């Protein structure tokens, strides 16, 4: 079956967090150096296979290092606004962090523009045997095996105060050749990161105060540049001497009262927040999660959750993700006992609103809709606080 105007975007998300240890060292939240299989970037039903790239001029573009500074600014502003909207400090631009992010973004670009990796962990610059000519030191943008090493080699001074690396990679296909600009995709990828629980919590660290982002595009290997485009966003954030002990009072949430234009659905994340349920997010996504954090508490227990669609007068079912249900207990990805996520389960909402292969299926929450979220938080088994707020989704994301 031919698709004369079919469009398809697939985004994958990766996370690394370095937390300051008591001895001043670092702890990597994704610290297995061996590469792990990444989810497939393209959906086979929509994207043609073995389509030759007859635009030889793109090979030079694919090999050049670049940063879309406007796209990077859009992403930085999205992260900073999300933080300040809910009571955290904003993020200032850090040229040194940006340089590290740009170099790593171009490392990923070079690998995917010049090969088709079957196993690739976006945080690592390790040698991969079947594509050794474009990985590790054979890649002209090699900066270090992992995030910690890249910070060290760059002599980045704030690494000791805690740093995070968040990566989003998207591919886009349009049979009509209507490809998105990197500015549009930078905003889309930033919003996706703000809907992915493990990324979201790293983007909401109270101690973070500086940031740097790399955004770049490429033509996927052996694909036609007229119809295919890849996008990469690498964001780094760090604390400073002045903010290393910064915290937030009371019950912190994201989204919070007044937040607008969130995504409607989460289609994937590494680490997988629903690993313990057997759910495949690419087929059955969940809605925009709610992050709950009480920094002053040792433990919290979230209960009596109401997730209410104001326009349609319906309650959305939810599941709770906290240290009790955590699929990564006793690992470096384990959730602290004073944090939790409320996950809206949107299987029955049928929120897909345009003519796509997903029409009539699950696309998360409804688009451009107000949702009231209310819940109780038992803090340290002593006192209960009731929290309630309204946030609004943006257009349905696919």
């Amino acid at each position: 079956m031919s698709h004369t105007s079919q469009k398809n975007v697939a985004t994958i998300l990766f996370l690394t967090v370095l937390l300051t240890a008591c001895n001043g060292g670092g702890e990597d939240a994704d610290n297995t150096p061996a590469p792990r299989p990444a989810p497939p970037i393209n959906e086979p039903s929509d994207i043609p296979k073995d389509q030759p790239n007859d635009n030889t001029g793109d090979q030079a573009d694919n090999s050049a290092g670049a940063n879309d500074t406007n796209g990077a600014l859009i992403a930085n502003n999205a992260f900073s606004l999300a933080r300040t909207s809910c009571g955290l400090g904003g993020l200032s631009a850090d040229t040194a962090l940006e340089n590290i992010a740009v170099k790593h973004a171009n490392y990923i670009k070079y690998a995917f523009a010049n090969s088709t990796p079957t196993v690739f962990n976006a945080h690592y610059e390790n040698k991969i045997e079947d594509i050794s000519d474009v990985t590790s030191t054979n890649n002209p943008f090699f900066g270090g095996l992992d995030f910690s090493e890249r910070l060290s080699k760059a002599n980045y001074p704030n690494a000791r105060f805690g740093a995070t690396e968040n990566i989003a990679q998207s591919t886009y296909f349009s049979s009509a050749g209507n490809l998105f600009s990197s500015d549009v995709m930078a905003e889309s990828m930033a919003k996706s990161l703000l809907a992915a629980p493990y990324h979201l919590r790293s983007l909401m660290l109270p101690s973070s105060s500086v940031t740097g982002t790399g955004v770049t595009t490429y033509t996927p290997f052996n694909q036609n540049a007229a119809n295919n485009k890849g996008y990469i966003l690498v964001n780094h954030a760090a604390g400073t001497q002045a903010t290393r002990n910064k915290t937030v009072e009371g019950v912190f949430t994201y989204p919070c009262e007044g937040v607008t234009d969130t995504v409607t659905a989460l289609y994937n994340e590494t680490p997988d927040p629903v690993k313990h349920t057997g759910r495949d997010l690419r087929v059955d996504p969940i809605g925009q999660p709610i992050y709950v954090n009480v920094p002053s508490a040792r433990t919290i227990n979230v209960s009596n959750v109401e997730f209410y669609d104001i326009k349609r007068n319906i309650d959305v079912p939810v599941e709770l993700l906290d240290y009790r249900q955590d699929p990564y207990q006793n690992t470096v990805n384990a959730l602290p006992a004073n944090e939790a996520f409320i996950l809206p389960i949107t299987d029955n909402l049928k929120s897909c609103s345009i003519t796509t292969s997903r029409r009539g299926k699950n696309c998360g929450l409804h688009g451009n809709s107000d949702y009231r979220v209310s819940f109780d938080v038992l803090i340290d088994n002593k006192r209960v606080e009731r929290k309630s707020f309204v946030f609004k989704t943006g257009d349905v994301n696919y």
Side-chain angles (χ1 to χ4, degrees):
M1 178 178 179
S2 63
H3 299 269
T4 57
S5 61
Q6 179 69 37
K7 299 177 180 178
N8 181 285
V9 180
T11 302
I12 54 178
L13 311 173
F14 307 90
L15 166 71
T16 290
V17 180
L18 299 176
L19 301 177
T20 304
C22 296
N23 61 1
E27 180 179 337
D28 190 340
D30 191 6
N31 67 348
T32 305
R36 295 173 298 178
I41 299 175
N42 297 336
E43 295 186 17
S45 60
D46 291 329
I47 299 182
K49 298 289 186 180
D50 301 322
Q51 182 177 6
N53 183 351
D54 54 8
N55 192 339
T56 57
D58 292 317
Q59 296 307 314
D61 292 339
N62 280 337
S63 299
N67 187 34
D68 181 335
T69 54
N70 196 53
L73 178 62
I74 288 170
N76 286 345
N77 287 344
F79 298 139
S80 188
L81 178 62
R83 291 170 58 88
T84 57
S85 295
C86 294
L88 297 181
L91 301 171
S92 301
D94 185 320
T95 302
L97 269 184
E98 178 184 320
N99 290 341
I100 301 167
V102 169
K103 189 173 184 179
H104 187 55
N106 280 281
Y107 178 96
I108 300 169
K109 167 185 174 177
Y110 189 85
F112 279 84
N114 296 286
S115 71
T116 305
T118 55
V119 177
F120 192 87
N121 186 319
H123 290 293
Y124 292 97
E125 298 186 2
N126 57 297
K127 181 180 178 180
I128 300 175
E129 289 300 330
D130 60 341
I131 53 169
S132 61
D133 57 330
V134 296
T135 54
S136 189
T137 54
N138 287 329
N139 186 310
F141 302 101
F142 179 79
L145 174 62
D146 56 19
F147 183 36
S148 179
E149 185 172 298
R150 292 192 289 276
L151 292 174
S152 178
K153 284 191 171 184
N155 295 313
Y156 182 64
N158 290 324
R160 64 189 185 277
F161 303 125
T164 61
E165 178 175 80
N166 287 281
I167 299 174
Q169 182 177 2
S170 293
T171 56
Y172 185 77
F173 168 75
S174 169
S175 59
N178 299 322
L179 299 174
F180 285 128
S181 70
S182 56
D183 289 3
V184 170
M185 287 305 297
E187 181 178 18
S188 174
M189 290 188 288
K191 289 166 64 175
S192 292
L193 289 167
L194 289 166
Y198 293 96
H199 293 72
L200 173 57
R201 66 180 297 266
S202 79
L203 290 165
M204 294 295 156
L205 290 176
S207 59
S208 294
S209 60
V210 293
T211 192
T213 297
V215 173
T216 191
T217 63
Y218 64 96
T219 300
F221 185 60
N222 275 346
Q223 298 296 317
N224 190 331
N227 304 103
N228 299 271
K229 199 169 189 178
Y231 309 81
I232 298 164
L233 183 155
V234 176
N235 172 260
H236 293 159
T240 63
Q241 177 69 46
T243 64
R244 62 180 302 179
N245 295 318
K246 198 166 184 178
T247 186
V248 61
E249 298 298 325
V251 179
F252 172 83
T253 70
Y254 183 88
C256 61
E257 179 66 38
V259 166
T260 62
D261 202 29
T262 72
V263 302
T264 60
L266 173 69
Y267 291 99
N268 82 88
E269 184 181 22
T270 301
D272 183 357
V274 294
K275 177 182 178 182
H276 59 304
T277 67
R279 174 183 291 267
D280 181 353
L281 288 173
R282 290 182 175 274
V283 179
D284 296 307
I286 59 174
Q288 167 74 50
I290 309 300
Y291 175 46
V292 183
N293 181 14
V294 185
S296 63
R298 293 186 302 276
T299 64
I300 64 171
N301 186 9
V302 175
S303 62
N304 300 322
V305 180
E306 298 176 2
F307 203 114
Y308 181 68
D309 184 327
I310 296 174
K311 179 180 179 180
R312 295 164 188 83
N313 192 29
I314 59 172
D315 289 312
V316 178
V318 299
E319 291 181 0
L320 189 67
L321 174 62
D322 64 12
Y323 72 98
R324 300 170 184 86
Q325 300 88 22
D326 186 3
Y328 301 100
Q329 288 181 11
N330 303 313
T331 75
V332 289
N333 290 324
L335 288 175
N338 62 346
E339 299 181 25
F341 287 94
I342 298 168
L343 309 179
I345 305 303
T346 56
D347 299 343
N348 296 323
L349 296 191
K350 310 300 185 215
S351 54
C352 302
S353 59
I354 65 173
T355 304
T356 69
S357 59
R358 298 190 66 89
R359 183 173 178 83
K361 298 181 181 179
N362 177 13
C363 286
L365 300 170
H366 287 283
N368 300 302
S369 298
D370 291 311
Y371 287 89
R372 183 172 65 242
V373 182
S374 305
F375 55 91
D376 292 331
V377 185
L378 175 62
I379 299 173
D380 292 331
N381 293 314
K382 294 179 180 178
R383 59 187 178 88
V384 175
E385 287 194 24
R386 183 70 175 168
K387 189 79 173 180
S388 183
F389 61 88
V390 175
F391 77 97
K392 187 174 185 177
T393 57
D395 293 339
V396 174
N397 62 297
Y398 297 91

